[in-house]
Amino acid sequence: MAPHLEEPIPILDSHIPVNGINGTKKQQQASVLNYVPGRTVTESHEDYAYHDLRPSFPDIKLEALTEKPYVDKGLEGDPQFRNLLASATDVFDYTPKIGTEVSGVRLTQLNDAQKNDLARLIATRGVVFFRSQEDFDIEAQLELGRYFGRLHPHATSAVPKREGLEEVLVVWKGDGSQDMRAMFAPTFLWHSDVSYEVQPPSYTSLRLLTGPPRGGGGDTHWSSQYAAYDVLSPSMQKYLEGLTALHTSEMQDSGTRALGRSVRRDSIETEHPLIRVNPVTGWKSLYYNPGFVTAIVGVPKLESDHIMAYLNEVIATTQENHCRFQWGKYDIALWDNRVCNHTASFGFTPHRRHATRVTVHGERPYFDVGGQSQEEEYNEKYGLPPVDKNGAGPKNYND
């Protein structure tokens, strides 16, 4: 756990280089001269602006979710995203497989055509980032979510203290919150949000209200499930395409009860295909996550356990399938839960981390034999050589 400072050193924007920060030259010099390795300034929250968005756990009962029609807005988006990017000043990918950052676009000013492009970009790239969206308040976040589809009210997680925001999930850590690293294996923390629902989420937005300063920890990682599918051998792909897995809310629910809080909707266990197809891109993706999947259906437990252990490793350790985001105040991440796993990182004590999340129901997961491989489609499109998946060939590692 990193030590911290409480001296009145200027707090820097978390994503702006030191030599480009706002403020006087004297302030910039003070920041540099007070640098201590592994130590970051703790922000004071004496007059906190978002008290009404702090977490609460209402003792209410929600009705069971029923299946409803869903049409993805990304299907109406332009394949080149020209509406969305017309006002952008920059756009770049974090890695070839996943993650894109767009600059110069205000999410509060998007028209419908731009929102459709945004949905298509998220489905294509997995996760899309927008920096410093100060005007994108909770009402705007809900409005964008509702444009994409029906919102998901969580059964156990915190909601804002302000009434009428039961479809908003509150992320809150710090100020004495327990660091939970010791309770979970790192691979287990990778997950796709509430994948146990009959219609698990498509698009999710997360907006940071308060977080650690640059270098203070609290980054989020995403892993592409398009790319996870493409890592597998053709034989393993074909094998998994015929299987389903059980996703359950039981551990989440039992943990909530153990904390003395109410579970607002009955526990659920749902069977979903291990390989699904995204309706926007037509690409196949692994649909598996360590956090909510308990078993593979129709195979012996020993086989199920070994396959799950292998998939855990593929998701958590295939670095080229990952991207990592260092948050700044009012930054937004929007991702497609159908084609991403993600995990938070710990180690940011004593800083507060406060964010609001809005999640949209997608379609019931399905497999389509006509689905395509993202990697194979791109290889053909850009004239790239096919990936050699023969692990028995000659070996020579060059860093």
Side-chain angles (χ1 to χ4, degrees):
M1 188 179 298
H4 67 285
L5 297 174
E6 295 182 349
E7 291 87 340
I9 302 171
I11 297 173
L12 309 183
D13 288 344
S14 65
H15 56 279
I16 301 177
V18 170
N19 61 5
I21 64 170
N22 295 324
T24 66
K25 185 175 181 180
K26 185 177 292 187
Q27 288 175 319
Q28 295 178 30
Q29 186 178 32
S31 298
V32 173
L33 294 179
N34 282 280
Y35 166 73
V36 179
R39 300 171 65 130
T40 47
V41 180
T42 305
E43 183 179 357
S44 171
H45 300 295
E46 186 173 342
D47 297 313
Y48 193 54
Y50 302 105
H51 180 75
D52 62 330
L53 298 179
R54 289 174 62 135
S56 68
F57 298 89
D59 185 9
I60 59 176
K61 194 66 177 176
L62 300 173
E63 294 182 0
L65 295 170
T66 58
E67 189 170 358
K68 294 184 179 180
Y70 172 77
V71 178
D72 200 303
K73 292 293 187 179
L75 293 168
E76 302 176 38
D78 177 64
Q80 280 74 50
F81 321 108
R82 286 170 290 196
N83 302 297
L84 176 67
L85 299 181
S87 59
T89 57
D90 189 26
V91 57
F92 63 92
D93 294 339
Y94 278 38
T95 73
K97 298 292 186 181
I98 184 172
T100 296
E101 184 170 319
V102 179
S103 301
V105 172
R106 306 306 302 178
L107 292 175
T108 54
Q109 298 173 13
L110 298 182
N111 58 36
D112 288 356
Q114 292 173 311
K115 293 174 186 176
N116 297 339
D117 281 10
L118 175 58
R120 192 177 188 98
L121 181 61
I122 299 167
T124 302
R125 293 295 304 157
V127 57
V128 180
F129 306 108
F130 295 84
R131 298 283 188 181
S132 302
Q133 300 285 311
E134 294 89 348
D135 56 339
F136 192 73
D137 59 17
I138 193 61
E139 286 77 19
Q141 191 175 2
L142 284 165
E143 181 182 355
L144 179 62
R146 289 180 179 131
Y147 179 81
F148 289 149
R150 178 172 54 126
L151 300 186
H152 176 267
H154 205 284
T156 61
S157 292
V159 300
K161 287 180 177 291
R162 189 202 308 176
E163 293 185 0
L165 298 178
E166 289 75 23
E167 294 171 317
V168 176
L169 183 149
V170 174
V171 174
W172 177 275
K173 291 291 180 184
D175 296 355
S177 297
Q178 184 178 9
D179 187 324
M180 301 174 69
R181 280 178 291 180
M183 299 181 180
F184 303 101
T187 54
F188 177 81
L189 292 171
W190 286 95
H191 67 283
S192 175
D193 292 331
V194 297
S195 64
Y196 46 75
E197 301 290 13
V198 174
Q199 289 178 268
S202 54
Y203 305 112
T204 288
S205 67
L206 184 67
R207 179 179 186 247
L208 188 76
L209 302 174
T210 301
R214 181 178 57 189
D219 299 353
T220 304
H221 307 243
W222 280 266
S223 176
S224 169
Q225 299 232 70
Y226 290 140
Y229 172 84
D230 286 329
V231 164
L232 308 174
S233 69
S235 297
M236 181 60 78
Q237 290 172 345
K238 185 174 181 180
Y239 170 64
L240 296 183
E241 285 173 4
L243 295 175
T244 60
L246 294 180
H247 300 239
T248 181
S249 68
E250 181 52 42
M251 194 190 75
Q252 197 172 65
D253 296 344
S254 61
T256 296
R257 295 187 187 97
L259 292 170
R261 299 169 183 160
S262 64
V263 176
R264 300 187 287 272
R265 193 165 47 244
D266 292 341
S267 299
I268 183 172
E269 182 178 77
T270 311
E271 191 173 327
H272 292 312
L274 267 171
I275 307 298
R276 69 184 296 181
V277 171
N278 186 286
V280 177
T281 63
W283 292 332
K284 296 177 183 177
S285 68
L286 180 67
Y287 193 60
Y288 170 85
N289 69 86
F292 295 123
V293 175
T294 58
I296 297 174
V297 178
V299 302
K301 187 177 189 305
L302 181 62
E303 185 174 336
S304 173
D305 288 349
H306 278 281
I307 295 298
M308 290 196 299
Y310 168 60
L311 296 179
N312 289 348
E313 186 171 3
V314 167
I315 290 166
T317 67
T318 311
Q319 294 93 334
E320 62 268 27
N321 294 357
H322 294 178
C323 72
R324 176 174 182 153
F325 187 60
Q326 189 175 66
W327 292 89
K329 198 174 184 68
Y330 306 131
D331 290 349
I332 306 284
L334 299 106
W335 68 93
D336 189 335
N337 281 280
R338 299 167 297 191
V339 301
C340 287
N341 282 312
H342 63 281
T343 183
S345 58
F346 292 104
F348 56 86
T349 302
H351 302 292
R352 176 182 295 182
R353 188 169 184 269
H354 186 195
T356 54
R357 191 184 92 185
V358 172
T359 303
V360 179
H361 283 278
E363 73 282 357
R364 181 190 280 266
Y366 66 92
F367 174 71
D368 182 353
V369 293
Q372 302 296 313
S373 155
Q374 181 196 52
E375 187 168 75
E376 290 177 1
E377 183 173 316
Y378 278 169
N379 287 349
E380 181 178 355
K381 183 176 181 180
Y382 301 118
L384 302 174
V387 175
D388 185 357
K389 296 183 179 180
N390 179 12
K395 300 173 179 65
N396 180 34
Y397 179 73
N398 292 312
D399 189 12

